[in-house]
Amino acid sequence: MNLMIDNQLVTLDVLRTAWAAPLTVSLGDEAKRRITEAQELINDVVASGKQVYGVNTGFGQMAQVRISNDELVHLQANLVRSHAVGVGEDLDDNIVRLIMLMKVIALAEGFSGVRVELVEMLCEMINHNIYPRIPSRGSVGACGDLAPLAHMAGALIGDGEVRVDGRVLLAADALKAAGLEPARLAPKEGLALLNGTQVSTALALAAAFRTENLLAAVMMAGAMSSDAIKGSDTPFDKRIQNVRGHGGQIAVAGVLRELMHGSDIRASHEECDRVQDPYSIRCQPQVIGACLDVLRHVSSVLETEANAVTDNPLVFTDSKSVLSGGNFHAEPIALAADYLALAIAEIGALSERRIALLIDSHMSGLPAFLVKDGGLNSGFMMAQVTAAALASENKSHAHPASVDSIPTSANQEDHVSMATFAARRLHTMIENVANIIAIELLAAAQGIEFHRPKTSSSTIEEVIAKLRTISPAYETDRSLSSDIQRVASVVDKGGYCAYAASVLPSYCK
């Protein structure tokens, strides 16, 4: 993808593409004009001798300390180096690419007072696949994602390490190989790079994209489980959904109807005497639909934040003002991430309940634990235990991070968002749910195959055929661990999104 940043809205589908694969980024003429005008105002402030936070003062609790003009370049470099104190495993390159892109988007709005050359340097690093090594821990999500963004900024000035095509290199060596000179930061540029919510937002965006993958897969798994237990599709009737009116519920029911359409298994029991199915089958539109509504809301918040200016102070050229505020506070991201955590936990919880239903012969009408010769074979008994363990673990992860503020910087920064952790923990939850759904997909496929020669819908039969290429039917006891992981990988990589793309936020724009 070739992306020109010129003060336009960068939409979810573009952000998803940038997360998924390398891209080329450039600045348009309007962006360059706005960046230049703001930078000229900062130069005027320096020349006038007016005291402005972050331009010619210290930072945080030391904001009252005036810095002489001959130390302003040194001040910005010191800021970057002193704040590069992150710890933990590195963020993945696709997350780092999103961080860098969103920093370009923010700086290109022309409210930060940096030079065009600095923003173009970030673009060139993206274009050459030079991704700074950014430790994942060390941000409280207020005054921006300071520590992780300092590691990004460090690479621009030739400090630290980067990854290029998976190889770890010294930043200075990688820049030299790409024909780039390390940046020499001008007044305010270090602060503009460090202030901002781009790390929290990138982590949350990536989680939202991965949650889309989960939702598509769980709708497929739910449709398959419904057919496997000879459940009714009447609860998915659009008339039921329409009188409640929630968009997500209506959309999910529509997908389920489409997935199950033409099933011979469903046609074989239309006149049966079962009155109602368990909630995990019957209430899929209500539960998964609510989760889809959460994802849609969260995606909207994140799209806004991805296009936001979140450093401090901000430069307003129309009034020739430099104003100090708090756009760096990532509370919108923290709350959105906490909300998404609830939905992720519920997606896994409902899937686990259907696995439990499938293996219970009294409820499902299928062989106990989905295996022939039960007793001799244990079948899916322990696979359900694994799903239960993962679903239970996610209940703890779903506890809100945003309520756990802790003061920093000698109480100058006395309330923080914890957005970075709020977003980062979503990925552990997503991995858990991908494995739960993988177990359900395997269990539901096994259940449907017990109804042979009757078949499910053509779509579901196509999915079962693909599953059988990576996980053979369960005839006698064997380890399912590798099978589960292979199917979970398909889930997490969006292998089922084509079946539900019309309802997913970053696909349906």
Side-chain angles (χ1 to χ4, degrees), residues 13 65 88 164 194 227 247 259 262-263 281 284 287 293 303 316 326 335 346 375 384 396 408 436 477 483 493 499:
D13 55 325
V65 178
V164 181
L194 269 59
D227 234 11
L259 292 175
S263 168
I281 297 293
Q284 289 180 76
V287 179
D293 282 335
E303 183 179 72
F316 296 90
L335 293 174
E346 284 295 88
Q384 186 270 328
S396 296
T408 62
I436 295 171
D477 277 348
D483 302 56
K493 291 177 180 176
Y499 301 105

Short mmCIF file of all heavy atoms in Angstrom, two decimals, residues 13 65 88 164 194 227 247 259 262-263 281 284 287 293 303 316 326 335 346 375 384 396 408 436 477 483 493 499:
data_model
loop_
_atom_site.label_atom_id
_atom_site.label_comp_id
_atom_site.label_asym_id
_atom_site.label_seq_id
_atom_site.Cartn_x
_atom_site.Cartn_y
_atom_site.Cartn_z
N ASP A 13 -10.03 0.60 7.65
CA ASP A 13 -9.56 -0.38 6.67
C ASP A 13 -8.12 -0.10 6.26
O ASP A 13 -7.33 -1.03 6.05
CB ASP A 13 -10.49 -0.42 5.45
CG ASP A 13 -10.67 0.94 4.81
OD1 ASP A 13 -10.69 1.95 5.51
OD2 ASP A 13 -10.81 0.99 3.57
N VAL A 65 12.01 25.20 35.34
CA VAL A 65 13.43 25.44 35.08
C VAL A 65 13.60 25.97 33.65
O VAL A 65 13.22 25.30 32.68
CB VAL A 65 14.26 24.16 35.27
CG1 VAL A 65 15.73 24.43 34.95
CG2 VAL A 65 14.10 23.64 36.69
N GLY A 88 10.73 -5.45 29.36
CA GLY A 88 9.86 -6.51 28.87
C GLY A 88 10.13 -6.86 27.42
O GLY A 88 11.01 -6.29 26.77
N VAL A 164 15.23 -5.00 11.12
CA VAL A 164 15.05 -4.84 9.68
C VAL A 164 14.92 -6.24 9.08
O VAL A 164 15.85 -7.03 9.17
CB VAL A 164 16.23 -4.09 9.03
CG1 VAL A 164 15.99 -3.92 7.53
CG2 VAL A 164 16.45 -2.73 9.69
N LEU A 194 7.67 12.08 21.95
CA LEU A 194 7.39 11.28 23.14
C LEU A 194 5.96 11.41 23.63
O LEU A 194 5.37 10.44 24.12
CB LEU A 194 8.35 11.64 24.28
CG LEU A 194 9.64 10.83 24.35
CD1 LEU A 194 10.46 10.95 23.08
CD2 LEU A 194 10.47 11.28 25.56
N ASP A 227 -26.08 -26.88 14.36
CA ASP A 227 -26.45 -28.01 13.50
C ASP A 227 -26.05 -29.34 14.14
O ASP A 227 -26.77 -30.34 14.02
CB ASP A 227 -25.80 -27.86 12.13
CG ASP A 227 -26.82 -27.93 11.00
OD1 ASP A 227 -28.04 -27.88 11.28
OD2 ASP A 227 -26.41 -28.02 9.83
N GLY A 247 -28.33 -3.23 16.44
CA GLY A 247 -27.70 -3.50 15.15
C GLY A 247 -26.84 -4.74 15.14
O GLY A 247 -26.86 -5.52 14.18
N LEU A 259 -25.25 -18.86 7.14
CA LEU A 259 -24.34 -19.99 7.30
C LEU A 259 -25.08 -21.32 7.34
O LEU A 259 -24.58 -22.33 6.83
CB LEU A 259 -23.51 -19.82 8.57
CG LEU A 259 -22.48 -18.68 8.59
CD1 LEU A 259 -21.82 -18.56 9.96
CD2 LEU A 259 -21.43 -18.87 7.50
N GLY A 262 -29.81 -24.17 3.93
CA GLY A 262 -29.67 -25.35 3.07
C GLY A 262 -29.18 -26.58 3.78
O GLY A 262 -28.85 -27.58 3.12
N SER A 263 -29.15 -26.57 5.11
CA SER A 263 -28.66 -27.73 5.86
C SER A 263 -29.67 -28.88 5.82
O SER A 263 -30.84 -28.71 6.19
CB SER A 263 -28.40 -27.34 7.32
OG SER A 263 -28.19 -28.48 8.12
N ILE A 281 -26.91 -21.69 22.47
CA ILE A 281 -27.32 -21.85 21.08
C ILE A 281 -28.33 -20.76 20.71
O ILE A 281 -28.17 -20.03 19.73
CB ILE A 281 -27.94 -23.24 20.84
CG1 ILE A 281 -26.90 -24.35 21.11
CG2 ILE A 281 -28.51 -23.34 19.42
CD1 ILE A 281 -25.74 -24.38 20.13
N GLN A 284 -27.35 -16.71 20.71
CA GLN A 284 -26.15 -16.22 20.02
C GLN A 284 -26.32 -14.82 19.44
O GLN A 284 -25.41 -13.98 19.60
CB GLN A 284 -25.77 -17.21 18.91
CG GLN A 284 -25.22 -18.53 19.41
CD GLN A 284 -24.86 -19.45 18.26
OE1 GLN A 284 -23.83 -19.26 17.61
NE2 GLN A 284 -25.71 -20.44 18.01
N VAL A 287 -26.02 -12.32 22.44
CA VAL A 287 -24.72 -12.23 23.11
C VAL A 287 -23.63 -11.78 22.14
O VAL A 287 -22.91 -10.79 22.39
CB VAL A 287 -24.35 -13.59 23.76
CG1 VAL A 287 -22.98 -13.49 24.43
CG2 VAL A 287 -25.41 -13.99 24.78
N ASP A 293 -21.50 -5.03 18.76
CA ASP A 293 -21.77 -3.61 19.02
C ASP A 293 -20.64 -2.97 19.83
O ASP A 293 -20.27 -1.82 19.58
CB ASP A 293 -23.10 -3.45 19.76
CG ASP A 293 -24.30 -3.59 18.84
OD1 ASP A 293 -24.15 -3.34 17.63
OD2 ASP A 293 -25.39 -3.94 19.34
N GLU A 303 -10.48 4.80 15.75
CA GLU A 303 -10.28 5.51 14.49
C GLU A 303 -10.11 7.01 14.76
O GLU A 303 -9.25 7.66 14.16
CB GLU A 303 -11.46 5.28 13.55
CG GLU A 303 -11.27 5.93 12.18
CD GLU A 303 -12.44 5.66 11.26
OE1 GLU A 303 -13.54 6.24 11.49
OE2 GLU A 303 -12.28 4.87 10.31
N PHE A 316 -0.93 26.59 17.62
CA PHE A 316 -2.05 27.05 16.82
C PHE A 316 -1.62 28.28 16.03
O PHE A 316 -1.50 29.38 16.57
CB PHE A 316 -3.25 27.36 17.71
CG PHE A 316 -3.78 26.14 18.42
CD1 PHE A 316 -3.30 25.77 19.67
CD2 PHE A 316 -4.73 25.32 17.82
CE1 PHE A 316 -3.76 24.64 20.32
CE2 PHE A 316 -5.20 24.19 18.46
CZ PHE A 316 -4.72 23.84 19.71
N GLY A 326 -3.87 18.61 27.83
CA GLY A 326 -3.73 17.22 28.27
C GLY A 326 -4.21 16.19 27.28
O GLY A 326 -4.68 15.13 27.67
N LEU A 335 -10.56 3.16 28.56
CA LEU A 335 -11.96 2.75 28.73
C LEU A 335 -12.41 1.87 27.56
O LEU A 335 -13.12 0.88 27.76
CB LEU A 335 -12.85 3.98 28.85
CG LEU A 335 -12.65 4.82 30.12
CD1 LEU A 335 -13.47 6.10 30.05
CD2 LEU A 335 -13.02 4.03 31.37
N GLU A 346 -16.58 -12.59 26.87
CA GLU A 346 -17.89 -13.17 26.61
C GLU A 346 -17.90 -14.05 25.36
O GLU A 346 -18.60 -15.07 25.31
CB GLU A 346 -18.94 -12.07 26.48
CG GLU A 346 -19.36 -11.47 27.82
CD GLU A 346 -20.07 -12.49 28.68
OE1 GLU A 346 -19.37 -13.22 29.43
OE2 GLU A 346 -21.31 -12.60 28.61
N GLY A 375 -15.40 -44.56 27.13
CA GLY A 375 -14.89 -45.39 28.23
C GLY A 375 -13.51 -45.87 27.87
O GLY A 375 -12.55 -45.57 28.57
N GLN A 384 -12.43 -29.89 26.51
CA GLN A 384 -13.36 -28.96 27.16
C GLN A 384 -12.76 -28.39 28.43
O GLN A 384 -12.99 -27.21 28.76
CB GLN A 384 -14.68 -29.68 27.48
CG GLN A 384 -15.77 -28.76 28.04
CD GLN A 384 -15.73 -28.65 29.56
OE1 GLN A 384 -15.36 -29.61 30.24
NE2 GLN A 384 -16.13 -27.50 30.08
N SER A 396 -10.33 -13.05 34.86
CA SER A 396 -9.39 -12.20 35.62
C SER A 396 -8.81 -11.11 34.74
O SER A 396 -8.70 -9.95 35.16
CB SER A 396 -8.25 -13.06 36.19
OG SER A 396 -8.74 -13.99 37.13
N THR A 408 2.51 9.58 39.31
CA THR A 408 3.91 9.54 38.87
C THR A 408 4.48 10.95 38.83
O THR A 408 3.77 11.94 39.03
CB THR A 408 4.04 8.90 37.48
OG1 THR A 408 3.32 9.69 36.53
CG2 THR A 408 3.47 7.48 37.47
N ILE A 436 -10.06 -21.44 22.37
CA ILE A 436 -11.40 -21.94 22.73
C ILE A 436 -12.23 -22.18 21.47
O ILE A 436 -12.86 -23.24 21.32
CB ILE A 436 -12.11 -20.94 23.66
CG1 ILE A 436 -11.39 -20.82 25.00
CG2 ILE A 436 -13.57 -21.37 23.89
CD1 ILE A 436 -11.91 -19.69 25.88
N ASP A 477 -8.45 -42.26 20.74
CA ASP A 477 -7.77 -41.23 21.52
C ASP A 477 -6.39 -40.88 20.97
O ASP A 477 -5.59 -41.76 20.62
CB ASP A 477 -7.63 -41.68 22.98
CG ASP A 477 -8.89 -41.41 23.79
OD1 ASP A 477 -9.77 -40.67 23.28
OD2 ASP A 477 -8.98 -41.91 24.92
N ASP A 483 -3.41 -29.98 16.92
CA ASP A 483 -4.57 -29.66 16.09
C ASP A 483 -5.22 -28.35 16.54
O ASP A 483 -5.56 -27.49 15.71
CB ASP A 483 -5.61 -30.79 16.16
CG ASP A 483 -5.08 -32.13 15.72
OD1 ASP A 483 -4.07 -32.57 16.31
OD2 ASP A 483 -5.66 -32.74 14.81
N LYS A 493 -5.66 -15.58 12.32
CA LYS A 493 -5.21 -14.93 11.09
C LYS A 493 -6.37 -14.50 10.18
O LYS A 493 -6.16 -14.07 9.05
CB LYS A 493 -4.26 -15.85 10.33
CG LYS A 493 -2.92 -16.04 11.03
CD LYS A 493 -2.02 -17.02 10.29
CE LYS A 493 -0.68 -17.18 11.02
NZ LYS A 493 0.19 -18.20 10.37
N TYR A 499 -16.56 -15.13 5.70
CA TYR A 499 -17.93 -15.57 5.91
C TYR A 499 -18.77 -14.53 6.66
O TYR A 499 -19.99 -14.69 6.78
CB TYR A 499 -17.95 -16.89 6.68
CG TYR A 499 -17.22 -18.00 5.97
CD1 TYR A 499 -15.96 -18.43 6.42
CD2 TYR A 499 -17.76 -18.63 4.85
CE1 TYR A 499 -15.27 -19.45 5.76
CE2 TYR A 499 -17.08 -19.65 4.19
CZ TYR A 499 -15.84 -20.05 4.65
OH TYR A 499 -15.16 -21.05 4.01
#
